[in-house]
Amino acid sequence: RRALTGLLQRRISMFATMAIACVGALVLLDLWEASAVVFFYNASEWLQLWCVHHTAAASDSLGGLLPELAYPADGSASKPLSEVVVGELLLVKPGSAVPVDGEVVGGSSAVDESMLTGEAVPVAKREGSSVFAGTANQTGVLTLKVSRLPEDATAAQLTMLVSQAQGEGTRRPVLERLAGVYTVMVLLSALL
């Protein structure tokens, strides 16, 4: 149906390409070819939907990794992340999540950054190392100087970029135009 609609509007879309390939295979009585075209198209659509869903789920889970409270290094009472300021010194205990992006100014530890980088091996952190919000401090106590507020953190930026990419759908129109030009060229060459 979408192929016919596109052709009536003088647009050759990927649906028209699929229809032409299937009709051509059926005219040649090559049922395997026709079914392969349909199968691979449906498989690619399923794979695309699966990737979009899992990317969105992973992106949404980044926000859930941030702790609700931060612990000032001076020993004062814990406070909400919304009250943290750039330049403030915070304490990150073993087993807890890093609350904000910052630079280690005291202590050393191994930090699990797999939620950002995908790297399974924890990364050694010491004075001068950068740490990122949502990563997991594993072995030692770290004192860090806040370099970015939670809303500006690397994890927040990553979540925003994924949301924008899913909302814009900028690649599909480009692919549609390329498919239209490609299909016309292939059909013209087949007629010659």
Side-chain angles (χ1 to χ4, degrees):
R1 186 181 340 178
R2 289 189 248 181
L4 185 58
T5 304
L7 288 173
L8 291 174
Q9 295 173 350
R10 293 184 178 197
R11 282 186 310 116
I12 297 182
S13 65
M14 68 177 169
F15 302 110
T17 306
M18 291 287 301
I20 291 167
C22 286
V23 168
L26 291 174
V27 166
L28 296 173
L29 299 175
D30 192 347
L31 298 179
W32 285 106
E33 189 72 27
S35 60
V37 167
V38 172
F39 171 79
F40 285 118
Y41 172 75
N42 287 325
S44 69
E45 285 290 309
W46 177 84
L47 186 61
Q48 179 182 359
L49 289 173
W50 183 84
C51 288
V52 167
H53 171 73
H54 281 79
T55 302
S59 173
D60 291 343
S61 71
L62 289 178
L65 296 174
L66 294 178
E68 294 180 15
L69 300 173
Y71 298 91
D74 63 7
S76 58
S78 62
K79 60 182 178 179
L81 285 183
S82 60
E83 295 178 13
V84 171
V85 295
V86 173
E88 184 174 2
L89 297 179
L90 299 177
L91 199 64
V92 184
K93 298 175 184 174
S96 63
V98 176
V100 293
D101 287 4
E103 180 182 335
V104 176
V105 294
S108 63
S109 183
V111 176
D112 179 2
E113 296 180 339
S114 61
M115 52 77 73
L116 284 178
T117 64
E119 178 61 47
V121 179
V123 179
K125 300 291 182 176
R126 57 182 181 279
E127 282 190 42
S129 299
S130 294
V131 290
F132 305 101
T135 57
N137 183 20
Q138 304 235 310
T139 56
V141 177
L142 294 174
T143 303
L144 66 96
K145 183 177 183 180
V146 177
S147 61
R148 284 193 241 174
L149 298 176
E151 59 270 12
D152 299 326
T154 303
Q157 290 176 0
L158 183 60
T159 301
M160 180 188 67
L161 288 172
V162 168
S163 297
Q164 284 177 348
Q166 289 176 343
E168 291 174 2
T170 55
R171 290 177 59 146
R172 187 165 293 270
V174 172
L175 291 175
E176 290 283 336
R177 285 196 307 270
L178 289 175
V181 171
Y182 173 76
T183 303
V184 169
M185 291 174 66
V186 168
L187 289 175
L188 289 174
S189 65
L191 292 174
L192 298 175

